[in-house]
Amino acid sequence: SVVARGASLCVGNVDLLLALPAAPRAVSRPRRALQFSAPRAVDVVVGTAAAGPRLLGAGHVLLRSLVSMVSSGTELLVYRGQLDASDQPLDASIPGMDAAPPAYPMEYGYSLVATVAAVGAQVPLSLVGQTVFAFAPHASEGIVDAGCVQRIPPDLASSPADAAFLPAAETAISIAHDAHPRLGETAAVFGAGVIGLFTASALIAAGATVSVFDPRADRLRVA
């Protein structure tokens, strides 16, 4: 930049590359989670959220929750204290719930739709910002194994609440597979709740004629 002009030319050397912004300060956010504290006792507990990718282990991702669906089946058993009193884990197929038998207090839940906020080593950076599904407890954020998240298709990403129905749809499809309906057969579904409605849809898609039964008229109207 020119400082003065006269008999001689004086210039100043301003290196714009060194005009860096101040380093951002670490912001501590509260993490809120639903905790089953005891039978018929539920609390929202507040703790310190993960600070960022440096705290993530290799192969893990940090999720910021969008929607977390409550199950009226398994979670009602957890709430009532009616879990099987055995040495079996909550769910042997879900990392984080497969290590130890259930014990209060506990965080639970398995229908979480979230945005990937950060990734650890060995996880593609392209996953950051993606909307994903995870079998993870009800909480404002959480750290899970990257191999356990499923990317939400673009046509569902704008509707996280719809994507949260994935476990219910998975259960219904399993029921339909076990029933093994043949084209044109008649199937009866007793109960027009979430699982019943998904099951009816899966059976219809398999070519069955379906009748749905429920004592509640409002459910039958939906069916």
Side-chain angles (χ1 to χ4, degrees):
S1 59
V2 178
V3 176
R5 186 184 296 274
S8 60
L9 182 66
C10 299
V11 298
N13 182 17
V14 180
D15 191 344
L16 296 179
L17 292 177
L18 295 180
L20 299 176
R25 294 182 179 181
V27 178
S28 179
R29 300 177 313 281
R31 175 184 183 271
R32 294 177 173 83
L34 187 71
Q35 177 180 274
F36 293 89
S37 303
R40 298 186 180 274
V42 178
D43 299 296
V44 175
V45 295
V46 180
T48 302
R54 290 185 179 181
L55 295 182
L56 292 177
H60 287 74
V61 296
L62 172 64
L63 302 180
R64 300 270 166 77
S65 302
L66 297 172
V67 173
S68 188
M69 181 175 290
V70 175
S71 163
S72 60
T74 307
E75 288 185 61
L76 192 57
L77 296 178
V78 175
Y79 171 72
R80 291 173 174 169
Q82 295 174 332
L83 289 172
D84 182 17
S86 69
D87 58 356
Q88 297 300 311
L90 278 171
D91 195 318
S93 65
I94 301 177
M97 300 181 191
D98 59 347
Y104 299 97
M106 73 176 84
E107 293 182 12
Y108 189 60
Y110 52 82
S111 299
L112 182 72
V113 179
T115 300
V116 178
V119 298
Q122 302 173 13
V123 181
L125 285 174
S126 59
L127 198 58
V128 175
Q130 295 290 319
T131 302
V132 298
F133 174 89
F135 291 102
H138 308 296
S140 58
E141 67 176 54
I143 296 175
V144 301
D145 190 311
C148 297
V149 302
Q150 297 289 332
R151 295 195 192 202
I152 302 299
D155 57 338
L156 275 180
S158 60
S159 182
D162 289 342
F165 281 97
L166 175 61
E170 179 186 38
T171 299
I173 291 172
S174 296
I175 293 172
H177 284 169
D178 290 341
H180 193 57
R182 296 183 180 181
L183 184 65
E185 283 188 330
T186 298
V189 175
F190 292 88
V194 173
I195 301 299
L197 293 176
F198 272 116
T199 301
S201 296
L203 290 169
I204 291 171
T209 300
V210 177
S211 296
V212 179
F213 300 87
D214 196 286
R216 291 177 50 174
D218 57 335
R219 287 187 171 186
L220 289 178
R221 284 194 295 269
V222 175

